[in-house]
Amino acid sequence: MSTRFSDLIQELKSRHVIRAVIAYCVVAWMLLQVADVTFDRLPIPDYSMTVLIVLVIAGLPITAVLAWAYDITLRGIVRHEETHGEVSKLAFLPFAALLVSVTAIVGFGLYYLSLKYWEPELQSIAVLPFTNMSESEDTEYFSDGLTEELRNLIVRLGEFRVVSLSSTYRLKDTTLDYKTIARRLDVDVILHGSVRRATDRARIAAKLIDGDDGTEVLSERYDVTLADVFSTQENIARKVASALDVVVSTSQESRLARLGTRNVEAYDLYLRGIDYLRKSGDTATLSKAEYYIRQAIAIDPQFASAYAAMCESHLAHYELHRDSDRFVKAEQACHRALTRDSESSDVHVALGRLYYSGGQYEESVREFDRALAANTRSAEAHIGLGKTLLELNRVPEAEASLQRAIELDPSDWVGFKEMGNFLLANGRYLEAAEYYSNFATRTEDSSTAYNNLGVAYYFAGEFAEAAEAWDQSLGIRPTRSAYSNTGTMYFYLGDYATAVDRFARAASYAPRDHRLWGNLADAYYYTDGMRHVAEVIYREAIEFAEERARVNPSDMETIAILCHFYARIGEDDLARERCETALASAPDDMYVQYYSALAFAHLGDTARALGRIERAIELDYQPELLELDPGLVSLREEAKFKELLSRNDP
């Protein structure tokens, strides 16, 4: 073997292959360096650099083979055998094997390095809300809408890490200096400005601030008609890119121009609708958003972004009230948006959320992947993808996607909230508490953050910390979730009257939420003399749960909850049927096991109830809660029940 290798080296030297390959690599490297500098400035496709790299790699074996076969002499290019006589053909076989191996290694190495090291670190930018200088406060939506559209245009360039609007809107009207803001948001530069609107004209001032020293990098002022607002936005985005030495390619130019509409009136109404949609949280606000978005669509039926916003509005209504008609309308609006702009990342994100809500998880993954193909730096798409992958039990991929969203925008509270939800679902309660704490420090909606923090502590068995967090949440702003959680706490403590009050308050925020109605029915069930009231409420809860199951047939937790509800009203056969369905479809769902145990305990099937409890504990259900649960009182004297709880004693 060593002799063959020695012969091969001598043959390579004789044929000048090594010298030719080294020369080729040097020239190829210089070519790639020149291309890296010049390609962005030429009107050529974005994938041109990729094509050139592939050609360079493919040229390596071709060069080596030609160097092996031919010599360059004073007589010209001749076959090697003509100048050196007959040579051993055996050396060519190891040469071919070596050539294939080297080419594969070089190709893989270049690919790996391009992923790990050659991707340049993107400059980061925050677009602060433009100040409304108009005489009327009613035009605030216009300055906010301008801010959002400018941010979206800069995102479309694909050359910057752009801080989320949820983070920058927290700093609206702030008195902090630009250096402090840049440090807090972890950005290189800040785009800020003002808008003064009067009837059909607008004066727009924009300035780009260096985050390190607070100096102005760029300052522009525009006095335009509303019809010129579109081109003004594009112009500001180009000026920002130019000031930061980013060359806008041909494909980026086309993305800048794709605003969705050029109708000023439709655009203005759309901005009004988006302003309300951004503030969503109650029916009245969502209805106002829908009103303006519908008018925008009426004026410009081809306005894809307006249809995507309408989809989001209907979906928010559905999530709030569980009205299946709203889900159907959301689906229609999303598909209309898709037929008008199939390349929009926002449209695919809206579709992904729609499919996620409907339990169509494979379709949801497909849409989020398409959103990321259109915009690889979309934190929203990564968050949606992570949540959906979790539903498909692709846990490592889900965690990686959510972590990527946080990396893309560490100032955005949404990523921390969803990562906390992910960790909570996987039984990593104290880790979830850390992310919820980060969520609380990054959002104005700290009521929700402290509520979630309370949930994490609650499941970790840290009840004092949970109660403190929930008290903070209710002190900031009462919400259905905080009322529901404190109701659960009182329920387990045996204070059913207070639990009824808290669950009733929670249900008033979401009158078609089957879980809240079921909780209320449970509290009434254990209140002296109120079981007849409990039965009425259970039947209401069943109606809402069955509606939810029709929209999302894969929601096995809802099916298991129905099993519990039917057992409580004496529909034993329906209860057993629902339990069997849920257990067969989701055997590893902790809550499916728990609600099935409740139902079997009520039905007097002690053995099956204990089996489900054992499985729930294996899946990290808290034994402390099982010991306090009044629905399991019939099992407390069972030796198996005591043994299951004692397994987890310290």
Side-chain angles (χ1 to χ4, degrees):
M1 182 64 70
S2 60
T3 303
R4 286 186 179 181
F5 183 75
S6 177
D7 290 343
L8 173 61
I9 297 300
Q10 290 300 320
E11 195 72 29
L12 291 174
K13 289 180 179 180
S14 169
R15 295 171 181 265
H16 307 299
V17 173
I18 296 176
R19 185 168 60 186
V21 168
I22 292 174
Y24 177 84
C25 289
V26 171
V27 173
W29 178 257
M30 293 174 61
L31 177 63
L32 290 173
Q33 295 300 307
V34 172
D36 186 47
V37 174
T38 60
F39 272 25
D40 282 342
R41 290 165 169 77
L42 298 174
I44 56 179
D46 288 346
Y47 55 78
S48 300
M49 191 66 180
T50 303
V51 172
L52 180 60
I53 292 173
V54 171
L55 291 175
V56 165
I57 295 172
L60 177 63
I62 295 173
T63 300
V65 169
L66 291 175
W68 176 278
Y70 296 96
D71 287 336
I72 299 177
T73 68
L74 294 175
R75 294 183 293 139
I77 299 175
V78 297
R79 287 184 59 81
H80 179 78
E81 287 76 5
E82 294 181 19
T83 57
H84 292 78
E86 190 67 26
V87 296
S88 172
K89 295 181 180 180
L90 183 63
F92 182 75
L93 295 178
F95 167 70
L98 179 65
L99 186 59
V100 171
S101 301
V102 169
T103 303
I105 292 170
V106 170
F108 177 78
L110 286 173
Y111 174 73
Y112 179 82
L113 289 172
S114 69
L115 291 179
K116 295 292 183 180
Y117 304 108
W118 289 353
E119 182 178 356
E121 184 177 350
L122 298 181
Q123 297 182 79
S124 54
I125 183 171
V127 184
L128 293 185
F130 276 43
T131 305
N132 178 32
M133 303 293 289
S134 309
E135 295 179 2
S136 172
E137 291 186 2
D138 183 51
T139 56
E140 186 85 10
Y141 75 90
F142 186 80
S143 56
D144 287 347
L146 179 69
T147 303
E148 184 167 350
E149 290 301 307
L150 270 173
R151 178 191 175 277
N152 290 341
L153 285 172
I154 293 172
V155 167
R156 285 185 191 137
L157 289 174
E159 298 290 341
F160 303 97
R161 177 177 71 81
V162 189
V163 171
S164 68
L165 284 174
S166 59
S167 299
T168 57
Y169 270 100
R170 291 178 58 211
L171 299 170
K172 190 174 184 178
D173 302 321
T174 182
T175 57
L176 296 174
D177 61 82
Y178 288 120
K179 288 173 63 177
T180 303
I181 293 172
R183 188 165 56 251
R184 178 172 294 187
L185 296 177
D186 189 26
V187 295
D188 300 315
V189 291
I190 293 170
L191 179 63
H192 192 207
S194 62
V195 182
R196 184 185 297 275
R197 178 178 172 180
T199 59
D200 63 342
R201 297 196 65 82
R203 177 171 295 169
I204 303 171
K207 55 184 177 181
L208 192 65
I209 310 296
D210 189 311
D212 289 333
D213 54 22
T215 58
E216 288 190 8
V217 178
L218 170 72
S219 181
E220 295 288 325
R221 188 178 299 273
Y222 304 88
D223 194 352
V224 297
T225 64
L226 292 186
D228 294 327
V229 164
F230 306 111
S231 58
T232 301
Q233 291 171 352
E234 296 169 22
N235 196 24
I236 293 173
R238 289 190 187 90
K239 289 290 181 66
V240 167
S242 177
L244 299 176
D245 297 324
V246 171
V247 178
V248 180
S249 67
T250 304
S251 60
Q252 289 169 329
E253 283 283 358
S254 66
R255 289 200 295 269
L256 280 180
R258 196 165 60 241
L259 289 170
T261 187
R262 290 281 170 174
N263 186 293
V264 175
E265 189 178 356
Y267 180 69
D268 189 65
L269 290 165
Y270 166 75
L271 292 183
R272 284 182 181 269
I274 288 294
D275 186 55
Y276 281 109
L277 192 58
R278 194 185 299 117
K279 302 171 185 174
S280 66
D282 58 69
T283 304
T285 305
L286 286 172
S287 296
K288 288 179 181 177
E290 191 175 319
Y291 171 76
Y292 287 114
I293 295 168
R294 183 175 287 111
Q295 289 190 71
I297 290 172
I299 293 171
D300 184 358
Q302 301 304 314
F303 196 173
S305 295
Y307 278 109
M310 183 63 81
C311 174
E312 296 278 13
S313 176
H314 285 309
L315 198 55
H317 269 291
Y318 169 72
E319 294 293 346
L320 193 60
H321 302 296
R322 297 299 182 186
D323 183 349
S324 56
D325 288 342
R326 285 287 186 176
F327 186 86
V328 174
K329 290 178 180 178
E331 191 170 22
Q332 292 171 346
C334 267
H335 283 289
R336 285 171 182 163
L338 187 64
T339 60
R340 285 155 177 81
D341 188 354
S342 61
E343 298 180 21
S344 169
S345 175
D346 293 340
V347 170
H348 288 294
V349 166
L351 267 170
R353 288 173 177 163
L354 176 82
Y355 288 132
Y356 173 83
S357 189
Q360 298 167 270
Y361 300 126
E362 295 292 351
E363 291 84 351
S364 181
V365 168
R366 181 193 66 207
E367 293 302 329
F368 285 125
D369 281 340
R370 287 176 177 174
L372 288 169
N375 177 13
T376 58
R377 305 191 64 79
S378 171
E380 285 184 321
H382 276 293
I383 288 171
L385 180 61
K387 291 171 64 177
T388 311
L389 290 171
L390 178 60
E391 294 294 336
L392 292 170
N393 203 32
R394 293 161 62 179
V395 177
E397 294 172 79
E399 185 170 5
S401 188
L402 291 170
Q403 193 61 52
R404 179 58 175 157
I406 293 174
E407 291 170 1
L408 286 170
D409 191 355
S411 64
D412 187 10
W413 58 266
V414 180
F416 288 93
K417 173 190 173 185
E418 296 301 342
M419 179 60 87
N421 292 347
F422 166 84
L423 294 168
L424 191 74
N426 283 277
R428 295 155 63 180
Y429 304 123
L430 291 179
E431 287 183 69
E434 292 181 18
Y435 278 92
Y436 287 141
S437 294
N438 276 303
F439 169 23
T441 62
R442 286 169 166 78
T443 178
E444 291 179 349
D445 186 17
S446 51
S447 171
T448 301
Y450 283 113
N451 177 61
N452 291 9
L453 181 60
V455 172
Y457 281 132
Y458 173 75
F459 281 112
E462 306 285 348
F463 296 128
E465 288 82 354
E468 181 182 348
W470 283 332
D471 284 341
Q472 283 181 281
S473 176
L474 285 171
I476 296 167
R477 180 171 59 87
T479 63
R480 68 171 178 174
S481 186
Y483 276 128
S484 176
N485 290 330
T486 53
T488 300
M489 181 73 80
Y490 284 115
F491 179 80
Y492 283 125
L493 293 174
D495 187 349
Y496 302 121
T498 305
V500 163
D501 174 72
R502 295 303 174 92
F503 288 138
R505 290 173 184 265
S508 69
Y509 284 83
R512 298 183 70 86
D513 190 316
H514 63 279
R515 294 174 185 271
L516 296 178
W517 282 95
N519 290 342
L520 180 59
D522 286 341
Y524 270 121
Y525 188 85
Y526 293 105
T527 302
D528 290 341
M530 300 300 288
R531 289 201 172 179
H532 63 290
V533 177
E535 182 172 345
V536 172
I537 297 174
Y538 277 130
R539 292 186 183 278
E540 285 288 306
I542 286 170
E543 178 186 339
F544 302 145
E546 290 286 11
E547 183 178 11
R548 168 64 179 170
R550 283 192 293 273
V551 171
N552 185 357
S554 63
D555 184 353
M556 289 300 119
E557 285 185 25
T558 294
I559 302 297
I561 290 171
L562 276 167
C563 165
H564 164 58
F565 292 165
Y566 280 125
R568 285 291 168 90
I569 66 171
E571 297 281 358
D572 295 4
D573 291 340
L574 281 173
R576 292 182 185 279
E577 178 189 325
R578 295 296 190 277
C579 277
E580 296 300 339
T581 300
L583 289 168
S585 300
D588 297 326
D589 188 304
M590 176 174 69
Y591 292 106
V592 166
Q593 299 294 333
Y594 165 70
Y595 283 112
S596 297
L598 279 183
F600 288 132
H602 187 81
L603 295 171
D605 193 340
T606 301
R608 296 203 69 185
L610 289 171
R612 297 310 98 220
I613 288 172
E614 182 173 20
R615 182 60 180 144
I617 292 174
E618 290 173 359
L619 294 168
D620 290 329
Y621 197 90
Q622 295 301 101
E624 295 89 346
L625 301 182
L626 296 171
E627 192 171 12
L628 296 171
D629 199 320
L632 302 175
V633 68
S634 63
L635 306 178
R636 287 180 184 171
E637 297 306 315
E638 295 288 333
K640 177 70 171 178
F641 186 76
K642 293 178 180 179
E643 190 265 330
L644 287 172
L645 298 188
S646 66
R647 288 182 190 176
N648 293 271
D649 290 341

